[in-house]
Amino acid sequence: MSESPVATETPLADERVTKTSPLQKLLLRPELGALVGAIGIYVFFFAVADPFRSLDAFSTIMYSSSTIGIMAVGVALLMIGGEFDLSAGVAVTTSALTASLFSYEFSTNVWVGIFVALAVALAIGFFNGYLVMKTKIPSFLITLGTFLMLQGANLAVTKLLTGQVASRNISDMDGFGLADAIFASDFSIAGTTFRISIVWWLVFVAIATWLLLRTKVGNWIYAVGGDAESARAVGVPVVKTKIGLFMGVGFLAWFAGMHLLFTFNSVQSGEGVGNEFIFIIAAVIGGCLLTGGYGTAIGAAIGAFIYGMTEKGIVYAGWNPDWVKFFLGVMLLLATVTNLWVRNRASRS
Amino acid sequence: MTSELADAPLEEIPTGVPLVQLKDVGKQYGHIIALHGINLKVGKGEVTCVLGDNGAGKSTLIKIVAGRHQHDEGQLLVDGQEVRLSSPREALNHGIATVYQDLAVVPLMPVWRNFFLGSEMVDGFWPFRKLSIDQMRTTAKDELHKMGIDLPDIDAPIGTLSGGQRQCVAIARAVFFGARVLILDEPTAALGVKQSGVVLRYISASAKSGLGVIFITHNPHHAYMVGNHFVLLNRGRMTLDCKYEDITLDQLTTEMAGGDELQTLTHELKR
């Protein structure tokens, strides 16, 4: 059946098609702009800030990057799939609160709370995805709705159950030790302490990269983001793929929430607001296209690393931390302009 | 081998039974009647041309056979069995492959990923099942060679190819996976004379190799070159249904252009 009915002709090279130069190929990589930016920022802070040069500082930067980076992986995949999730920031807090409030109120092993939180986080992702796919309303609006709902519920339920704005300390409860070891422990390399979340971050980036570039599902993710109607026409399960991506964000929100919970043992119910934009910014700086169909998980990781470097570097340099957001804004604009330029150049036929 | 599609070999279908047949098919969008009373069939080795001007209902007709929309009236028969195709995937499973006017390609994705989109080759066991990238790249390149297209870079985003090249990729893909019934939605509409020739030759050869082809076009010249059977649509209804033997190109062109209307126009514009 793979036999083509037309007799094989000697294929003639089209003289109008020029060979792609290696440089052009390199420029085609979505994360290239971010990588150049990251190196530039690293060199810059290395030069201006003394404390930035130590291994301890590197560990701190990596930690800061990982807290953003874990979520940025999910958000980047979702963005490649052509959708947004504005509830991603508060969903982290919701997961952490669910785990801690549930196990505290019902006096269960913390692992019961952890799995309840997982179910809740996945359910939020499913809810977002299902609504977006069924109503065809842009995900920006649907998730803005869930963002507000979760933000309100986080505060209201916490106050209702505890009478205060934070969940209670759960560090003396059953199962805490193991959960703490998995989600929030430290390890040391050459006398410098690193947080376990850095390892998890890199693991998630590796899994997401493999998923995107080496699996069927990855092919579908690019396709549903690039052109959902075309993807559907050739048999890609668009609805399942997109709902799956929202649930992926839910899963990572759960993971990030567990990290938050076991780092501080209690959770501030108002936390997480605004982080959704940091995740999106990390993905965009990393070369993900806002309109979908283009980007990589590694790019999002570089984007998160740029965030971490900027956030800590400005403090190490002794400047007012208020400048962090300013620099992030500059980076975002530079990244979008670079991406546009690179893409136009590379796709010029 | 490489695809789970088209698992019903051509030999098993009894001769004489059309691969795809429409009986009195109709479709409404709200209170707009897009199609009404359509009868059409395509058998092994036949090319059925569906002609019509813009808005005649050609696209709706394809969408029904391709599983993108469902018909409201009449019957759709595949191999003599009545079916309702609820998704493009289901149509593909029946061996009905479609090449759309908009080609259904994802511009930013590489050629080979587009070629195998929705029917990827994989190996290994879950959760470590991965794409057989080398095999897919080689296959895509070989299949395109057969169409007479040599791409310098199979990894190039398909959006960077010319219209004709993209059309050929889409047709090669449909033939590679579909193999029983091929629906072509205006494949020559955006092409130059030479590239149209390549596509038409390909359509004719596909039919000779035993495929059924439904060729949608608004160009009677192209239709007459390859068609066995002609169906003319006008405002959602069939206005002509005849065999190659029963019509000349001039008649077909006249019918296509609206018969009397054209005569009036010729008269008006007489110089």
Side-chain angles (χ1 to χ4, degrees):
Chain A
M1 49 136 257
S2 61
E3 268 316 299
S4 163
V6 164
T8 311
E9 297 167 16
T10 330
L12 294 168
D14 193 331
E15 72 282 358
R16 289 164 303 177
V17 180
T18 53
K19 297 275 173 193
T20 325
S21 71
L23 180 70
Q24 207 172 8
K25 262 187 186 160
L26 187 69
L27 282 174
L28 258 171
R29 302 289 314 159
E31 59 277 77
L32 181 92
L35 189 63
V36 171
I39 294 169
I41 293 170
Y42 192 84
V43 170
F44 173 73
F45 281 118
F46 200 90
V48 300
D50 254 357
F52 190 84
R53 295 168 205 170
S54 71
L55 193 59
D56 278 334
F58 183 73
S59 160
T60 311
I61 290 162
M62 284 296 276
Y63 175 61
S64 172
S65 311
S66 75
T67 54
I68 294 301
I70 289 176
M71 281 306 287
V73 170
V75 169
L77 255 57
L78 182 68
M79 201 184 282
I80 294 169
E83 304 291 343
F84 284 107
D85 189 351
L86 295 183
S87 69
V90 285
V92 173
T93 316
T94 307
S95 304
L97 283 170
T98 307
S100 95
L101 292 177
F102 188 91
S103 35
Y104 189 88
E105 294 300 319
F106 294 97
S107 306
T108 65
N109 189 297
V110 289
W111 281 96
V112 177
I114 289 171
F115 283 111
V116 171
L118 176 61
V120 168
L122 290 175
I124 294 169
F126 180 83
F127 179 80
N128 280 333
Y130 186 82
L131 270 191
V132 168
M133 293 320 290
K134 284 296 152 188
T135 61
K136 315 249 185 250
I137 294 170
S139 51
F140 193 90
L141 286 176
I142 298 277
T143 58
L144 185 61
T146 39
F147 160 72
L148 291 170
M149 283 161 63
L150 292 180
Q151 190 189 355
N154 283 352
L155 288 162
V157 173
T158 310
K159 274 187 196 157
L160 192 73
L161 292 177
T162 65
Q164 49 189 34
V165 291
S167 72
R168 295 187 202 278
N169 192 323
I170 58 160
S171 58
D172 54 354
M173 294 182 65
D174 291 341
F176 183 87
L178 178 63
D180 188 56
I182 291 176
F183 294 111
S185 58
D186 302 328
F187 61 96
S188 140
I189 297 173
T192 305
T193 309
F194 286 90
R195 306 295 305 268
I196 192 88
S197 65
I198 299 171
V199 176
W200 285 120
W201 172 42
L202 299 177
V203 167
F204 287 132
V205 171
I207 293 174
T209 301
W210 184 76
L211 185 81
L212 272 177
L213 299 178
R214 289 287 176 271
T215 71
K216 206 172 182 170
V217 173
N219 220 24
W220 294 349
I221 293 172
Y222 280 110
V224 298
D227 191 333
E229 212 27 61
S230 291
R232 195 176 107 81
V234 292
V236 173
V238 175
V239 173
K240 278 186 200 160
T241 306
K242 289 206 177 188
I243 291 180
L245 287 172
F246 276 104
M247 291 177 75
V249 174
F251 174 81
L252 290 170
W254 167 75
F255 199 94
M258 293 311 103
H259 171 73
L260 185 72
L261 174 62
F262 291 101
T263 304
F264 300 105
N265 306 336
S266 91
V267 188
Q268 295 295 325
S269 58
E271 215 163 296
V273 179
N275 281 355
E276 60 279 350
F277 286 115
I278 309 270
F279 307 146
I280 292 174
I281 288 164
V284 172
I285 289 179
C288 290
L289 208 56
L290 216 57
T291 44
Y294 194 74
T296 60
I298 292 175
I302 297 173
F305 184 58
I306 287 179
Y307 173 81
M309 275 195 293
T310 316
E311 192 193 31
K312 299 297 170 199
I314 282 176
V315 176
Y316 286 132
W319 302 334
N320 187 334
D322 293 338
W323 287 105
V324 172
K325 285 276 160 65
F326 179 85
F327 270 93
L328 218 55
V330 172
M331 282 308 300
L332 181 64
L333 284 181
L334 279 178
T336 19
V337 172
T338 315
N339 286 347
L340 186 75
W341 180 77
V342 164
R343 226 180 29 261
N344 285 347
R345 252 190 93 80
S347 65
R348 197 154 50 190
S349 47
Chain B
M1 37 156 259
T2 46
S3 149
E4 67 266 41
L5 307 177
D7 35 13
L10 290 166
E11 303 81 65
E12 281 177 20
I13 305 149
T15 40
V17 177
L19 294 172
V20 170
Q21 184 171 15
L22 274 66
K23 283 185 180 169
D24 282 322
V25 163
K27 170 77 187 170
Q28 296 193 5
Y29 295 110
H31 50 264
I32 311 271
I33 299 166
L35 281 180
H36 179 71
I38 304 298
N39 288 290
L40 178 149
K41 60 181 177 186
V42 62
K44 271 171 64 178
E46 288 179 1
V47 179
T48 298
C49 298
V50 178
L51 294 120
D53 221 330
N54 297 334
K58 301 186 302 268
S59 298
T60 308
L61 183 65
I62 306 169
K63 282 177 182 161
I64 291 170
V65 185
R68 271 169 113 180
H69 289 193
Q70 282 76 50
H71 50 288
D72 306 318
E73 301 165 14
Q75 293 176 303
L76 172 61
L77 303 151
V78 177
D79 303 330
Q81 306 283 314
E82 188 176 359
V83 290
R84 267 187 95 77
L85 302 172
S86 59
S87 71
R89 178 90 266 167
E90 211 180 319
L92 282 169
N93 289 341
H94 282 290
I96 303 171
T98 313
V99 178
Y100 294 99
Q101 209 169 353
D102 53 18
L103 300 176
V105 295
V106 183
L108 283 169
M109 288 174 80
V111 174
W112 67 270
R113 281 188 186 264
N114 265 293
F115 193 92
F116 283 96
L117 186 57
S119 312
E120 293 85 353
M121 292 179 181
V122 287
D123 57 31
F125 298 98
W126 194 88
F128 302 108
R129 194 178 293 146
K130 62 180 196 328
L131 297 174
S132 322
I133 290 180
D134 291 339
Q135 205 185 344
M136 286 199 284
R137 295 176 78 242
T138 318
T139 313
K141 200 154 181 141
D142 289 349
E143 289 301 311
L144 292 172
H145 264 192
K146 289 178 192 164
M147 285 287 287
I149 322 166
D150 180 28
L151 298 176
D153 184 10
I154 200 87
D155 287 311
I158 204 162
T160 61
L161 303 190
S162 74
Q165 286 176 321
R166 256 180 293 170
Q167 187 75 51
C168 289
V169 173
I171 296 181
R173 172 174 71 180
V175 170
F176 181 72
F177 288 109
R180 299 211 310 132
V181 183
L182 193 56
I183 305 171
L184 304 173
D185 181 9
E186 310 234 4
T188 55
L191 301 185
V193 177
K194 203 174 168 190
Q195 287 186 328
S196 296
V198 172
V199 174
L200 290 170
R201 207 176 303 137
Y202 199 82
I203 292 171
S204 177
S206 304
K208 283 205 186 88
S209 75
L211 271 81
V213 179
I214 301 179
F215 175 26
I216 286 94
T217 180
H218 55 228
N219 188 327
H221 299 273
H222 289 172
Y224 201 75
M225 275 190 255
V226 294
N228 302 104
H229 205 112
F230 306 97
V231 168
L232 183 59
L233 296 185
N234 192 8
R235 298 165 143 264
R237 284 162 202 272
M238 273 170 52
T239 51
L240 178 86
D241 179 13
C242 71
K243 290 203 170 74
Y244 178 77
E245 297 81 38
D246 306 331
I247 195 164
T248 66
L249 176 58
D250 280 347
Q251 284 171 325
L252 188 65
T253 312
T254 315
E255 286 288 341
M256 168 77 203
D260 299 339
E261 288 170 38
L262 189 70
Q263 274 182 357
T264 324
L265 188 68
T266 320
H267 187 71
E268 273 178 27
L269 297 178
K270 208 159 208 168
R271 297 189 290 180

